[in-house]
Amino acid sequence: VQTQEPTQTINLMALLDSVSENAIEVGHDVQVRGSLSEPYNGKPIALKRCIENLVENAVSYGERAIIRIEEDKNVIISVLDEGPGIPEEQLEAVFDPFFRLESSRAKKSGGTGLGLGIARNIAKAHGGDLQLANRPEGGIKATLTLPK
């Protein structure tokens, strides 16, 4: 995690579009929905890595990713997939270093089990958090909450 990176004003919509375009270029189905009324103060390289990790998981295990951005007192970026989901009792364990769900997430995905832990550390470094939840219609919703 880039701890030495300075905080600066970021156009989060442009960052999300960049992550989406990069994933689309390598053949993934990624969409960005929603908008943000003002720039965000944060660490752009770290936030991009955080969101890339979430999108990478979504397209690896859930075929496609929908990145949704909204705001209230926080900026909320959700990454939704349509994969097999995660057993409820393991929703926190997936943030542990090197933890992988071998039953539903095959070795062919090539993950190391570090991406979600790194993503959560980046969220916390911004004063926010990252949570995972199973979606009622199937798949996972990763919710990145960043304070304004």
Side-chain angles (χ1 to χ4, degrees), residues 16 25 33 38 42 44-45 51 53 57-58 81 83 86 88 97 130:
L16 296 179
E25 276 181 21
R33 297 183 182 160
E38 55 194 45
I45 296 169
I51 296 161
N53 286 358
N57 277 351
D81 72 40
I86 297 172
E88 288 292 325
L130 174 62

Side-chain angles (χ1 to χ4, degrees), residues 49-59 79 116 119 130 142 144:
R49 181 169 185 193
C50 174
I51 296 161
E52 283 174 339
N53 286 358
L54 299 176
V55 168
E56 194 171 294
N57 277 351
V59 297
V79 178
L116 286 172
L130 174 62
L144 171 63

Side-chain angles (χ1 to χ4, degrees), residues 94-131:
V94 296
F95 290 103
D96 295 342
F98 306 111
F99 184 88
R100 296 188 66 218
L101 289 168
E102 296 308 331
S103 58
S104 63
R105 304 201 169 204
K107 289 252 191 251
K108 71 177 172 60
S109 67
T112 59
L114 293 173
L116 286 172
I118 289 168
R120 180 177 266 178
N121 287 343
I122 291 167
K124 290 189 178 292
H126 283 81
D129 200 6
L130 174 62
Q131 296 293 324

